[in-house]
Structures are given as C-alpha cells and as structure tokens.
Amino acid sequence: MYEAVKTTVGDFPHSPGVYLMKNVKGTIIYIGKAKDLKKRVSSYFTGTPTVKTRVLVSKIDSIEYIVTGNEYEALLLENNLIKENSPRYNINLKDGKSYPAIRITNEEFPRIFRTRRIVQDGSRYFGPYTDVGNIDIYLELIEKLFPLRKCRGPLKKREHPCLYYHIGRCASPCTGKINREEYRLHVEQAKKLLSGETEGLLRDLDEKMNRAASGLNFEKAAEIRDTLEAIRTVGNRQEVVDFNMEKRDYVAMARRESLYSFAVFQMRSGKMLGRDLYRAESFGSDEDAFAQFFFQYYKDPEALPDVIYTISLADKELLRRFFREEFKADVDLQVPEEGRHSRILRMAAENAGQDVDRRLKAVANIPGLEELKQVLNLKKLPRRIEGFDIAQLSGKYPVASLVSFYNGNPDKKNYRRFHIKSLNGKIDDYEAIREAVARRYTRVLNEKLEKPDLLVIDGGRGQLNAALGVLDTLGIRDIPVIALAKQFEEIYTPDRVEPIRLPDGAEGPRVAQAVRDETHRIATTFNKSLRRRDINLPSLEGIPGIGPTRARALLEAFGSIESIREATVSQIVDEAGIPLKTAEKIIEILSQKN
C-alpha cells in the first residue's frame, strides 16, 4: 500500500492546493496545504522521516487533493476543511491552563463571572489568573462600580427588582431601572478595568473622593479611597510591566514527538494580563500545526492584538492577509531577534516547553513496553531504557550521545554527551561506541547508579558487538542490549543470527525507534554545534532571501554548508522553515559553488 500511495503522488500537479490523507475506511485523517502539491506531499515519502511522520504515513490508504488559485486560498480551504472534518492527526486545541479566567458573556445584557471553562460563543475572556485573589478583587470592584446582573440565562422582565438591586450589586435591567445603552457603558468600563486601562477610572474616583471629603461625607470618601487602593494594588500585581501601550501577544510553541503545547502571553496597556496555555496533538509539520493554532485561537475580532511576536513563521504574510480580510484588522506579525520582545517570547517558549515535558512524562506507554518485552523476550518490563549513538564528520569533532527513557518517554535530566577522545582523527564508530559505553557504565558501577532495563545502540551487528565486549569486560552482562539499524528498521540481538524486522505501526518497536531517533538527534546536534566554527556565515547571507535569521536556522538544522548542499528542497523547507522558492534558490547557488 505504501508504494501504491507513493506512486499516485507522482501524478500530483505542481500547483497550490490542499491534500487530504485518508485511511482504509475512507476517513480523512490529515489535511494539509501546499504551495506546490507534488513537492509537499512527496516530502512525506522521501529522506529520513521522523517517528511521527512514519506513524502518519503508516495509516494512509489514499491521498486526494484540491487545487486552488493561490496559496492564500489553500490556507482558507485547509482551515474550513479541518473545521468540518476534525481529522485525527491535525491539531485540536485543548485548554491546558488550570487557572480561572473572567468571562463577559455575549448577551444583550452581559454577565461577568469567574470560570475555568472556555466556550467559543463570542464571550470575552480575561486571564487566566495565576493569583486567584486577583479575580476576587476584580469581581468585587466591578460589583461596586459597575453593578451588572447576576441572573443566569436570557433576561426576563420582572415587576420588582431582586435583593442584589437593593444592596447596590445589580442595576436591575429586568425592571427597566437601567436601559441597554447605560448598561453597555457599564460593561465597557468593566472591560477597561480588566484590560488595565484604569487612568480615567482612577481620575474620576479621585474626584469623587475629594468631593465627598469636602462635603464632610468621610465614610463615603473612605470607601472610595479603599476602592482606589484596590485598583492600584491589583494593577501592581502584574508580573511584567512596560510603557508600551499597544496590544501585544507573544506566541510560542513547543513539541515533543507528536505532542504540542502553545503559550500565549498577553500584554495590554503595558501590563501582562494573561498567559494562555493550549495543548494539541498533530502528526503533520510544525509549520502546519502553528498556522492551524492561529486559526483556532484567534476568533474574536475585539480581542485581536496590534502586534503578535512569535517564532519564525513561514505563513506570516498569509496570516496577516487573513486577519485583514476576515476581521478587517491590521495585525502585525513579527519575529524578534533580540531585546525586550525577544526575552518575553523566550519566557513564553519556556512555559510551553515545560508544559509539553510534563505531558510527556505523565503518559506512560506501558502497552508499548509490554509489546517490546515480548518481541525481545526480556525478563522484565524495560521501564528504564538507555541509548547511544555516534556523530562525526570526516573524523572531525567525534561525539557520542546517551539518552534515557523512562516508561517509554524521554527522561532528559539523565541525558549525557561525550567528547570521544580515543580516535585521534580516525573514523571508527566501533571504537567510539566502546569508549562511550565504557565511560558510562564504569561510572554506573563506581557510583552504584541505577542500571537500565534495556540498552539500545544505534547501528548494526558491529556496533552491538562493540558494546557487548565492553559490558563483558566490566562484568555487567545482565543488561539486555540490542542494536537498531535505521536503513531497514532491523533489531540485532546477541542470541539471534538473523535480525528482527520491525512490523509497521507496532507500538513496542516504536518505543525502541524513538530511543534510537533521540540518540541520533542529540549526537548530531552536539556535533553540529562543535562544527559551527568552520561555517562561513556570509556565504549563506549572500543568497537572495537569506538574512541572519534564516542563515542561523539553516545552520541549526544542517550544521554545515556541505550538508545544506546535499539536502533536498523539501528537507530545507521542512527542517529549516525556509520558503520553497528561497530553498530552490539555495540549492541552485550552492550547487554552482560546488
């Protein structure tokens, strides 16, 4: 089926459009957009796919496409089709925050109350509030200053006002004590209070306090004084303050495998009012997931910011156009490189990263570990798995990575990196494995550290034997060891002559693959970081469309100009977030310099 689907993609047009991936039941499981349908969809079947891409491709039975006039039309169609079909592998945002917010309902006579449930019905939300005491202060102030109705549901006409009216906590629109225009003015003033726009309100209250004191109404003056102090106190509790009055959002994303977390920091009137945290799972590209997040998060025209600061975003111009045409709003999207905005964005990214790490740790993949135990005939469940890989380039900067997984998930605090010291310029992956394994497990023995339930070596029979030889010498052959070769996804074990070929989609082998892929990622990243001293940045920045930001993105993704030259256009687009035409220009120019 894989080859049949791959063959059909060869007939796709080089046109903008939307592609729909379906399973054997004909159900749409993923929807994506493309500037070039053939190149984008072909990228799923070329190169070395990630674990999440392999999972998605293993579920595909057929792929259909819809051609559009341009990339913007593809963006809108993708958004509409995702809303209509809710595909399993596209993102579906879930509110990940545990903090309450304040809701102003979308009714003729709105209500204001605290909530932890977000309903997309046009209501306005303020928060979430990490300090729950702030909500109590806000609601108390609103009841005193702008008394709104408490009754639930549509407003019903009454002859007599309720108790709340008599104690000054409701303006009683149900009995006509306040008309719709005056009531709406109360609501707008409450919104300004919640948005931190309090200068006018403080000035009015100060005047009222002085008039009360001049009239010898000291009790009233004291009450207003306490209200002024409460407003100033709740405003001063904001964690981040500056003097820029524009409405700004800082949007960051973090991914671990197929799990995504998005953090949004909201700055209004120079104060940070809220930190939204949303969760999703997606098996498409990071670029698609990020664009889809924007569609799902920004639905209320009144709540749109003036500027959105975010990470590198290939769809930036398309999203600007979307805000302009759908909401009649000019929202500027910027990628800050340094300064205050960059620091706040890093805070958002850290929040997103911590959240997705918590989610990953919370989901123990026991079924996958049980299956892996059975496939490898292990004596006990491999809860603790350690993995090794080697990275070098023509003998330069040889390094090794050690990763640790617990309950089927990364345990990053136990990751280690090694400079390989024994090669002296030779290219010898077996010797590098021996050194890394010896250094690790000599320390495990000396410091009486926890031994893993399974050891995974990235490689084949030679790498396996190298690791086994070291463990035999150290006298700790009770650790089960396997080698996992990437080319054919084969597992080599000490007691089998023939390797075990991994079945597609099986949960147990996916755990071993995830360990192997993570070792490769860590080793390669470490090696690239050491090789950057050999990189000639100006030669990249001389390519049309490549500035410092994109040059750094390319080097982060590939590590060297040579590796970029050897990459495909789709790899440059997917791994470095470079637009398609620019990626084609990069390949063209670097090929001429070869």
Side-chain angles (χ1 to χ4, degrees):
M1 185 56 66
Y2 174 90
E3 292 300 328
V5 174
K6 183 177 178 181
T7 301
T8 63
V9 174
D11 296 326
F12 278 30
H14 289 287
S15 306
V18 172
Y19 54 94
L20 301 89
M21 296 176 170
K22 297 183 177 182
N23 62 15
V24 291
K25 296 180 180 179
T27 303
I28 298 173
I29 59 174
Y30 186 79
I31 297 172
K33 66 164 180 18
K35 196 176 198 177
D36 184 315
L37 282 166
K38 186 171 184 177
K39 288 185 178 180
R40 179 69 186 94
V41 181
S42 295
S43 69
Y44 287 95
F45 302 92
T46 57
T48 304
T50 62
V51 172
K52 66 179 185 130
T53 300
R54 286 200 299 268
V55 171
L56 176 60
V57 170
S58 71
K59 306 294 183 183
I60 301 171
D61 182 71
S62 62
I63 305 177
E64 299 177 1
Y65 64 85
I66 302 172
V67 173
T68 59
N70 53 54
E71 191 178 6
Y72 181 68
E73 290 178 4
L75 185 77
L76 296 182
L77 179 59
E78 176 198 38
N79 181 42
N80 291 333
L81 289 174
I82 289 172
K83 288 179 180 177
E84 182 180 341
N85 295 279
S86 300
R88 164 69 178 84
Y89 293 111
N90 284 95
I91 75 166
N92 180 21
L93 288 186
K94 297 179 181 178
D95 190 2
K97 56 181 179 282
S98 58
Y99 303 117
I102 293 177
R103 177 184 176 188
I104 302 181
T105 60
N106 181 27
E107 299 173 279
E108 185 178 7
F109 290 89
R111 294 171 294 132
I112 296 183
F113 52 89
R114 85 165 66 197
T115 184
R116 292 178 186 268
R117 182 167 171 260
I118 306 300
V119 181
Q120 299 295 348
D121 63 351
S123 294
R124 284 289 305 276
Y125 293 89
F126 295 86
Y129 296 95
T130 56
D131 185 346
V132 180
N134 282 0
I135 289 187
D136 296 331
I137 294 174
Y138 274 130
L139 294 179
E140 179 72 19
L141 287 170
I142 289 169
E143 281 193 345
K144 284 183 179 181
L145 300 170
F146 324 113
L148 305 179
R149 70 186 183 97
K150 304 289 188 298
C151 49
R152 296 184 178 182
L155 187 71
K156 296 179 181 179
K157 294 294 182 181
R158 302 177 187 273
E159 287 189 25
H160 305 288
C162 66
L163 176 64
Y164 286 111
Y165 172 76
H166 294 292
I167 63 175
R169 297 302 174 101
C170 177
S172 193
C174 58
T175 60
K177 300 290 185 182
I178 185 172
N179 62 35
R180 187 174 183 274
E181 289 71 25
E182 292 172 331
Y183 191 93
R184 284 284 176 181
L185 182 59
H186 277 349
V187 173
E188 291 305 315
Q189 289 173 322
K191 287 180 181 178
K192 287 185 177 182
L193 173 62
L194 294 170
S195 298
E197 301 173 24
T198 57
E199 287 187 16
L201 175 61
L202 290 171
R203 188 167 52 249
D204 292 343
L205 288 174
D206 193 61
E207 291 176 1
K208 289 180 181 179
M209 181 182 68
N210 291 331
R211 284 198 301 269
S214 299
L216 305 182
N217 189 349
F218 299 114
E219 185 177 344
K220 181 67 174 176
E223 182 182 341
I224 297 174
R225 179 202 62 206
D226 293 342
T227 300
L228 282 165
E229 186 176 340
I231 294 173
R232 292 188 178 110
T233 298
V234 79
N236 290 335
R237 289 186 181 185
Q238 303 301 332
E239 296 181 21
V240 178
V241 179
D242 61 26
F243 298 100
N244 191 329
M245 294 297 107
E246 68 184 359
K247 298 177 181 177
R248 287 171 281 142
D249 281 358
Y250 297 82
V251 183
M253 176 186 77
R255 175 179 63 82
R256 306 288 185 267
E257 298 178 10
S258 62
L259 300 179
Y260 287 84
S261 286
F262 300 87
V264 183
F265 281 16
Q266 301 169 339
M267 296 287 287
R268 301 293 185 268
S269 300
K271 297 177 181 178
M272 183 181 293
L273 291 186
R275 289 171 289 183
D276 282 346
L277 195 61
Y278 285 88
R279 296 170 169 179
E281 185 174 13
S282 175
F283 288 76
S285 69
D286 289 352
E287 178 185 321
D288 287 346
F290 207 40
Q292 291 162 22
F293 166 79
F294 274 79
F295 281 122
Q296 295 188 39
Y297 182 78
Y298 291 106
K299 295 181 179 180
D300 183 358
E302 290 187 34
L304 287 176
D306 301 317
V307 185
I308 299 174
Y309 292 98
T310 184
I311 59 176
S312 180
L313 184 62
D315 289 328
K316 183 167 62 175
E317 294 305 321
L318 295 180
L319 288 170
R320 278 183 179 148
R321 180 177 173 183
F322 172 78
F323 287 130
R324 187 168 55 249
E325 295 188 4
E326 296 297 314
F327 296 119
K328 305 296 185 287
D330 287 321
V331 179
D332 189 16
L333 285 91
Q334 296 188 22
V335 181
E337 293 187 8
E338 56 185 17
R340 181 180 71 253
H341 301 309
S342 178
R343 290 193 296 272
I344 298 176
L345 187 60
R346 282 200 299 271
M347 287 169 56
E350 184 177 345
N351 277 256
Q354 290 178 355
D355 180 69
V356 78
D357 284 339
R358 285 194 298 270
R359 293 170 62 198
L360 202 57
K361 290 178 182 177
V363 183
N365 189 0
I366 300 303
L369 296 179
E370 290 281 3
E371 186 177 334
L372 189 61
K373 176 177 178 286
Q374 182 178 359
V375 169
L376 300 178
N377 195 26
L378 301 176
K379 293 180 180 179
K380 65 176 183 177
L381 198 68
R383 289 185 177 274
R384 173 72 65 186
I385 305 176
E386 292 186 349
F388 285 89
D389 189 23
I390 304 300
Q392 53 81 30
L393 180 65
S394 302
K396 297 182 68 175
Y397 308 119
V399 297
S401 64
L402 162 68
V403 304
S404 179
F405 275 49
Y406 187 73
N407 279 344
N409 295 313
D411 180 21
K412 294 193 174 183
K413 67 179 182 296
N414 284 311
Y415 282 19
R416 299 291 183 270
R417 302 181 304 177
F418 302 93
H419 290 275
I420 300 301
K421 304 173 182 178
S422 58
L423 299 184
N424 298 317
K426 294 185 299 181
I427 300 176
D428 190 339
D429 282 357
Y430 301 156
E431 182 58 35
I433 284 288
R434 291 188 191 97
E435 179 181 331
V437 171
R439 288 167 61 181
R440 168 61 179 170
Y441 294 107
T442 298
R443 183 179 178 187
V444 167
L445 288 175
N446 291 341
E447 300 181 16
K448 296 182 171 54
L449 303 177
E450 176 189 10
K451 289 188 288 188
D453 304 312
L454 177 66
L455 178 57
V456 177
I457 306 296
D458 186 355
R461 179 71 65 185
Q463 285 83 354
L464 173 66
N465 290 335
L468 288 171
V470 171
L471 295 178
D472 280 336
T473 302
L474 294 174
I476 48 174
R477 278 297 290 115
D478 56 329
I479 301 177
V481 188
I482 65 169
L484 180 52
K486 185 173 294 184
Q487 184 176 6
F488 299 110
E489 297 296 353
E490 294 176 330
I491 293 178
Y492 292 86
T493 63
D495 55 349
R496 289 173 179 258
V497 176
E498 296 296 324
I500 303 170
R501 182 67 66 93
L502 293 179
D504 290 336
E507 194 67 27
R510 277 177 53 197
V511 175
Q513 288 170 328
V515 175
R516 187 273 317 279
D517 290 349
E518 184 71 344
T519 65
H520 181 72
R521 184 183 72 83
I522 296 297
T524 303
T525 300
F526 187 28
N527 178 259
K528 287 177 180 177
S529 70
L530 297 176
R531 284 155 41 196
R532 286 193 191 114
R533 68 190 70 176
D534 294 337
I535 300 296
N536 186 3
L537 279 169
S539 65
L540 281 176
E541 294 175 19
I543 298 173
I546 299 298
T549 300
R550 284 180 175 169
R552 282 195 294 271
L554 284 163
L555 297 180
E556 287 289 338
F558 297 99
S560 69
I561 291 179
E562 186 61 34
S563 296
I564 298 170
R565 183 184 290 117
E566 294 173 356
T568 64
V569 169
S570 62
Q571 286 174 328
I572 292 175
V573 171
D574 291 342
E575 296 181 28
I578 302 298
L580 179 61
K581 287 188 177 179
T582 306
E584 291 173 342
K585 180 62 69 176
I586 290 169
I587 294 299
E588 177 187 343
I589 291 177
L590 291 184
S591 297
Q592 294 171 356
K593 294 181 179 181
N594 194 5

